Amino acid sequence: MDKGDAEKLNIARKVAGHLAGQVAGLLFPPQCAGCHRAVADPGTLCGQCWSRLRFIERPYCTVMGTPFSHDLGENFLSAEAIADPPPFRRARAAVIHDGVPKRMVVWLKYHDQTNLAPWMARWILRAGSELIADSDVIVPVPLHPFRFWSRRFNQAAELARALARLADKPFEPEALRRVKRTRQQVGLAASERQRNVSGAFRVPPEHEIKISGRNVLLIDDVYTTGATVKAATRALLRAHAASVDVLTFSRVLGETINSE
């Protein structure tokens, strides 16, 4: 194939892609990711849903990422970070887990709306730019094989895959495994959550090379009490990770923890 033919083929492919996109838009018009109202572009929110978002911005605890109501000074730590220091280095989340973000997580997690993952990952990218820059590898919190089989996908892995693509970072979905079949965390108190996930994660020996000596960015959909990501972090540190940071799409505030 000469240069002229290659250029014609490239143009034909672009035209075909454009036409396919137009047909898809007619058959499946874009809907608001928060309420399913019609919107102009896929993955966007309507004005009403956008106005209700609560992004987590500074000031917040430099370790836990817990938002403060007012600025308490540089490097000020929350009571939780002081009383019960986590095994991970830092945690951040994009939005408060209520309203639209909560519905987005439910649609992604339980209703197979994996098309939301790339758009949610964009918010995560914005919230965790510092953590992403310091990371060597991105690892999702895994599902137990039984739950993965019943659900057919891992929502944390979908978010992590999209984030790794946006950030141009290595993505290692097999580096951490859930080896203990646990109860659903929803409705459990903080102490019950900790017992539930204790010893639930392990880095397989054949994958330790992907973790050892590296700064790991651990991805999950929601940070509630932190029991799951703390247990996962400990497994990564046992495999000699240099450090672990945690990045999630949303964060549950204290008053709603037991209902999430």
Side-chain angles (χ1 to χ4, degrees), residues 14 24 91 94 96 108 119 125 130 170 176 182 207 210 216 247:
K14 289 181 179 179
I96 299 298
L108 170 65
W119 304 98
L125 180 72
E130 183 181 1
L176 183 65
T182 57
H207 291 295
K210 300 173 182 177
V216 178
L247 191 52

Side-chain angles (χ1 to χ4, degrees), residues 1-248:
M1 182 184 297
D2 60 27
K3 184 177 180 181
D5 290 337
E7 289 178 353
K8 290 177 182 178
L9 180 59
N10 189 40
I11 292 171
R13 285 173 175 169
K14 289 181 179 179
V15 170
H18 178 70
L19 291 174
Q22 288 185 321
V23 171
L26 291 173
L27 296 175
F28 307 101
Q31 296 177 322
C32 171
C35 68
H36 288 179
R37 291 188 181 96
V39 291
D41 300 305
T44 57
L45 298 177
C46 67
Q48 186 175 2
C49 285
W50 184 261
S51 66
R52 293 175 179 171
L53 289 176
R54 290 195 290 164
F55 286 98
I56 298 177
E57 308 279 3
R58 294 181 186 275
Y60 48 64
C61 171
T62 55
V63 172
M64 302 301 299
T66 310
F68 295 138
S69 58
H70 56 279
D71 194 346
L72 299 171
E74 187 176 0
N75 296 325
F76 192 89
L77 299 181
S78 62
E80 179 185 4
I82 296 171
D84 186 21
F88 51 76
R89 182 170 54 172
R90 296 166 295 184
R92 300 288 185 269
V95 287
I96 299 298
H97 187 72
D98 64 359
V100 172
K102 184 175 181 179
R103 290 197 295 273
M104 292 173 72
V105 168
V106 169
W107 285 334
L108 170 65
K109 194 170 184 175
Y110 300 114
H111 300 289
D112 297 343
Q113 297 274 333
T114 54
N115 58 300
L116 291 176
W119 304 98
M120 295 165 75
R122 293 180 187 275
W123 297 5
I124 298 173
L125 180 72
R126 175 182 177 273
S129 58
E130 183 181 1
L131 277 61
I132 294 167
D134 292 343
S135 69
D136 298 314
V137 61
I138 293 178
V139 175
V141 171
L143 291 178
H144 186 272
F146 180 83
R147 189 161 293 157
F148 183 88
W149 177 83
S150 62
R151 193 177 292 170
R152 301 186 303 279
F153 70 96
N154 175 9
Q155 74 282 352
E158 295 302 312
L159 293 172
R161 180 181 291 106
L163 180 66
R165 188 177 299 116
L166 289 170
D168 193 24
K169 292 284 184 175
F171 170 57
E172 295 293 350
E174 300 296 329
L176 183 65
R177 291 182 186 170
R178 192 182 292 244
V179 295
K180 172 183 170 185
R181 187 178 174 186
T182 57
R183 296 170 55 193
Q184 289 276 6
Q185 295 279 69
V186 176
L188 298 182
S191 59
E192 294 173 318
R193 288 171 180 259
Q194 292 175 12
R195 287 194 296 272
N196 190 40
V197 295
S198 177
F201 301 99
R202 180 172 62 89
V203 175
E206 65 271 23
H207 291 295
E208 285 188 3
I209 192 171
K210 300 173 182 177
I211 298 301
S212 181
R214 308 184 80 182
N215 297 312
V216 178
L217 183 59
L218 183 66
I219 304 296
D220 206 359
D221 53 347
V222 184
Y223 187 110
T224 307
T225 64
T228 298
V229 293
K230 288 175 183 177
T233 295
R234 292 186 183 100
L236 291 165
L237 293 175
R238 286 195 295 271
H240 309 294
S243 68
V244 179
D245 286 325
V246 173
L247 191 52
T248 64

